């Protein structure tokens, strides 16, 4: 489907978000294709029963863990990466053998309708269905009983999904978001660091990405240099007026444009780079703000757009207190050459995922799980983790009829107790001595 309909998919993504063709291809089309190919390649090994050891308490026996489908699952996706976030989970659900109902986001209607049309044409409609619509349709779906609900979106709706799932004791995977910190040390190659920050913030769907940089922490002394280089990289990537650039997505709709504009208006005196906006074309330029107050709304909620506050500190070690004071983020980033700081950051910062000396690339590695922790989500997927997300690992114990010892059955005698205690201890010498009647117990 992807190979034959790539151009239609890219057109839909452009219509919804003005996504540049190359960006849309890499982050959405190619990503789903890679997930499909990986599942095709590895499925035989993923679904193979896992042999496990047994102990003396069940001797003689063998055991295994058998992956089995959960049943009928509901996937509710988000608008910011509407093709990827719709079909990447579906790949895992299909691989695991489930029937799937997919609810794409109505906020990206062109991609939603394209997915509905193409899946009806290419996939088995008796086991995979797409339901389009808005809040009424989503509400109706959540009233049904499912064997698993997989939701990608914001925390507010995530709470609604989890509450609905609780009525049927339905397990959920919630892929949410949060305020992702980027800590920048002064000992880095600032040109490379700035390029990677700009790429992971503004060249990734205009900042409308759940793993993007939400704020930077750096020292007061280093901040001016970092801002200058970031300014240069933004101009290098998007030109003197980024709102005119064809290499940057637009804001998804007028509601989200006004939300971002309100965040910016409250702290407009803190703008040091950018700030241009064009509501008629839903464009906001990459914008950097310096030392915004902690109680400003832009520091209280996930930005999900092209605005990037920089918080300055005297000593970079202060970053840990700032990060820990906020809910656990979906991603956390550190740029440094200090090995001690790297180790402390990885050990002490609780986040859904961490990348050192880059941003967002951790999700491109299928051998790493992608998911949140705390308010940034629960459960994970990507690669085999997608298969596992839609699988029940069923334990199976095998025994034979021979060698059925009476020790486990009533009546319970002192001799049986000694033998049972020896067996449960796992100490082979003690077991032998007890069976021979030489135990001192």
């Amino acid at each position: 489907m992807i190979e034959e309909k790539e151009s239609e998919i890219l057109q839909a993504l452009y219509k919804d978000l003005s996504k540049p063709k190359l960006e849309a291809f890499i982050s959405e089309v190619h990503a789903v294709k890679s997930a499909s190919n990986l599942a095709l390649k590895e499925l035989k090994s993923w679904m193979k029963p896992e042999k496990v050891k047994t102990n003396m308490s069940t001797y003689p026996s063998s055991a295994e863990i058998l992956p089995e489908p959960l049943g009928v699952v509901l996937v509710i996706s988000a608008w910011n990466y509407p093709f990827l976030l719709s079909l990447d989970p579906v790949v895992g659900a299909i691989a695991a053998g489930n029937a799937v109902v997919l609810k794409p986001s109505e906020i990206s209607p062109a991609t939603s309708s394209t997915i509905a049309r193409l899946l009806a044409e290419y996939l088995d409609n008796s086991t995979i269905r797409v339901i389009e619509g808005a809040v009424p349709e989503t509400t109706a779906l959540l009233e049904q009983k499912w064997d698993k609900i997989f939701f990608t979106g914001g925390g507010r709706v995530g709470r609604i999904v989890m509450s609905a799932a609780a009525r049927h004791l339905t397990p959920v995977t919630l892929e949410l978001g949060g305020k992702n910190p980027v800590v920048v040390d002064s000992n880095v190659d600032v040109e490379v660091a700035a390029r990677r920050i700009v790429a992971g913030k503004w060249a990734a769907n205009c900042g409308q990405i759940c793993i993007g940089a939400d704020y930077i922490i750096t020292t007061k002394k280093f901040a001016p240099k970092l801002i200058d280089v970031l300014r240069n990289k933004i101009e290098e990537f998007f030109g003197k007026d980024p709102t005119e650039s064809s290499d940057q997505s637009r804001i998804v709709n007028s509601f989200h444009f006004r939300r971002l504009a309100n965040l910016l208006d409250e702290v407009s005196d803190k703008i040091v780079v950018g700030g241009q906006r064009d509501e008629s074309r839903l464009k906001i330029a990459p914008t950097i703000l310096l030392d915004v107050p902690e109680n400003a709304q832009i520091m209280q909620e996930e930005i999900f757009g092209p605005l990037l506050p920089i918080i300055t500190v005297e000593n970079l070690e202060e970053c840990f207190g700032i990060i820990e004071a906020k809910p656990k983020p979906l991603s956390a980033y550190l740029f440094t050459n200090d090995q001690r700081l790297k180790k402390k950051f990885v050990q002490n910062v609780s986040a859904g995922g961490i990348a050192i000396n880059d941003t967002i690339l951790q999700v491109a590695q299928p051998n790493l799980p992608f998911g949140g922790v705390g308010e940034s989500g629960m459960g994970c997927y990507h690669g085999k983790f997608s298969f596992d997300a839609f699988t029940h690992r069923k334990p199976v114990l095998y025994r034979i009829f021979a060698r059925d010892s009476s020790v486990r059955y009533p009546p319970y005698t002192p001799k049986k107790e000694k033998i049972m205690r020896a067996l449960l201890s796992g100490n082979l010498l003690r077991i032998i001595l007890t069976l021979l009647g030489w135990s001192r117990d």
Side-chain angles (χ1 to χ4, degrees):
M1 180 187 80
I2 293 170
E3 287 178 347
E4 294 180 5
K5 302 296 183 180
E6 178 184 309
S7 61
E8 291 184 32
I9 297 164
L10 292 173
Q11 287 171 13
L13 291 168
Y14 185 82
K15 187 173 182 180
D16 283 330
L17 290 149
S18 294
K19 284 200 176 186
K21 183 177 180 179
L22 182 58
E23 179 190 336
F25 172 76
I26 293 171
S27 64
E28 303 225 45
V29 174
H30 176 72
V32 176
K33 189 175 179 179
S34 295
S36 301
N37 284 333
L38 181 65
L40 288 168
K41 179 182 177 183
E42 301 292 342
L43 184 56
K44 187 175 181 179
S45 63
W46 292 351
M47 62 193 293
K48 186 177 179 180
E50 177 188 347
K51 298 294 182 182
V52 296
K53 293 180 179 179
T54 57
N55 56 25
M56 289 301 298
S57 64
T58 60
Y59 178 84
S61 65
S62 62
E64 65 181 5
I65 299 171
L66 181 68
E68 68 174 7
L70 290 172
V72 182
V73 302
L74 172 65
V75 175
I76 304 175
S77 70
W79 54 263
N80 57 325
Y81 285 81
F83 190 74
L84 172 68
L85 297 180
S86 292
L87 295 188
D88 200 357
V90 170
V91 169
I94 294 172
N98 298 277
V100 186
V101 170
L102 169 64
K103 169 58 181 69
S105 175
E106 71 280 5
I107 298 176
S108 48
T111 308
S112 176
S113 62
T114 299
I115 289 172
R117 176 171 51 81
L118 293 183
L119 264 60
E121 179 181 346
Y122 280 85
L123 276 66
D124 179 2
N125 294 170
S126 67
T127 54
I128 303 163
R129 294 289 183 90
V130 179
I131 303 296
E132 291 192 272
V135 174
E137 287 77 12
T138 304
T139 302
L141 287 169
L142 289 173
E143 290 173 354
Q144 312 306 311
K145 179 174 172 53
W146 305 93
D147 294 297
K148 176 75 178 272
I149 298 176
F150 189 107
F151 170 78
T152 305
R156 181 185 64 82
V157 180
R159 288 174 171 84
I160 295 171
V161 170
M162 194 168 183
S163 177
R167 291 196 293 270
H168 299 291
L169 296 179
T170 300
V172 297
T173 293
L174 300 179
E175 298 296 341
L176 307 178
K179 296 197 71 63
N180 306 318
V182 182
V183 179
V184 185
D185 202 349
S186 59
N187 62 11
V188 299
D189 183 329
V190 68
E191 291 283 328
V192 175
R195 192 158 57 225
R196 292 175 179 178
I197 291 170
V198 173
K201 174 67 175 181
W202 294 292
N205 199 28
C206 196
Q208 299 168 114
I209 178 172
C210 58
I211 56 171
D214 204 85
Y215 63 102
I216 288 176
I217 303 173
T218 193
T219 60
K220 293 183 185 297
K221 186 177 181 180
F222 186 64
K225 182 176 182 180
L226 178 61
I227 291 169
D228 282 343
V229 180
L230 286 170
R231 180 188 292 110
N232 292 338
K233 293 304 173 186
I234 290 170
E235 183 174 334
E236 179 184 328
F237 287 7
F238 306 114
K240 290 188 177 296
D241 184 358
T243 62
E244 298 293 335
S245 174
S246 61
D247 292 319
Q248 192 178 36
S249 304
R250 63 168 170 80
I251 307 305
V252 66
N253 58 28
S254 57
F255 171 82
H256 283 280
F257 182 95
R258 288 192 294 271
R259 178 185 63 80
L260 290 164
N262 290 336
L263 293 180
L264 193 55
D265 287 342
E266 184 187 6
V267 289
S268 58
D269 59 321
K270 302 296 183 179
I271 296 174
V272 292
V273 175
Q276 307 98 309
R277 52 182 118 157
D278 182 347
E279 187 168 3
S280 66
R281 294 185 296 128
L282 299 176
K283 289 276 192 171
I284 299 177
T287 301
I288 300 174
L289 306 103
L290 181 61
D291 284 331
V292 300
E294 181 59 36
N295 61 357
Q297 196 62 34
I298 200 170
M299 290 304 297
Q300 299 301 309
E301 64 181 61
E302 183 180 9
I303 296 170
F304 220 69
L307 316 179
L308 185 60
I310 295 180
I311 307 302
T312 60
V313 293
E314 295 293 341
N315 188 317
L316 205 61
E317 293 280 337
E318 297 175 45
C319 74
F320 294 104
I322 295 172
I323 295 170
E324 289 167 7
K326 300 182 182 297
K328 296 178 180 180
L330 183 58
S331 300
Y333 305 107
L334 171 67
F335 288 84
T336 187
N337 283 312
D338 185 332
Q339 295 301 319
R340 183 198 60 81
L341 184 59
K342 289 180 188 179
K343 183 176 180 180
K344 185 175 181 180
F345 191 86
V346 170
Q347 289 182 338
N348 289 277
V349 173
S350 181
I354 287 176
I356 305 297
N357 293 332
D358 214 325
T359 63
I360 77 173
L361 281 188
Q362 71 275 14
V363 302
Q365 174 48 259
N367 294 321
L368 289 175
F370 173 65
V373 60
E375 291 188 24
S376 61
M378 63 180 69
C380 62
Y381 71 123
H382 285 185
K384 184 177 183 296
F385 302 100
S386 292
F387 176 83
D388 293 340
F390 294 98
T391 300
H392 168 57
R393 289 167 55 83
K394 181 168 61 180
V396 182
L397 179 73
Y398 298 94
R399 300 200 73 219
I400 58 176
F401 288 105
R403 305 179 197 174
D404 190 42
S405 173
S406 63
V407 172
R408 62 181 282 206
Y409 304 115
Y412 301 122
T413 65
K415 181 180 179 181
K416 286 183 178 180
E417 182 178 350
K418 285 183 180 182
I419 295 173
M420 186 58 76
R421 285 180 178 274
L423 289 170
L424 293 176
S425 74
N427 187 312
L428 184 59
L429 179 59
R430 180 180 173 184
I431 293 169
I432 293 171
L433 292 175
T434 302
L435 292 172
L436 294 174
W438 295 347
S439 173
R440 295 180 180 179
D441 294 341

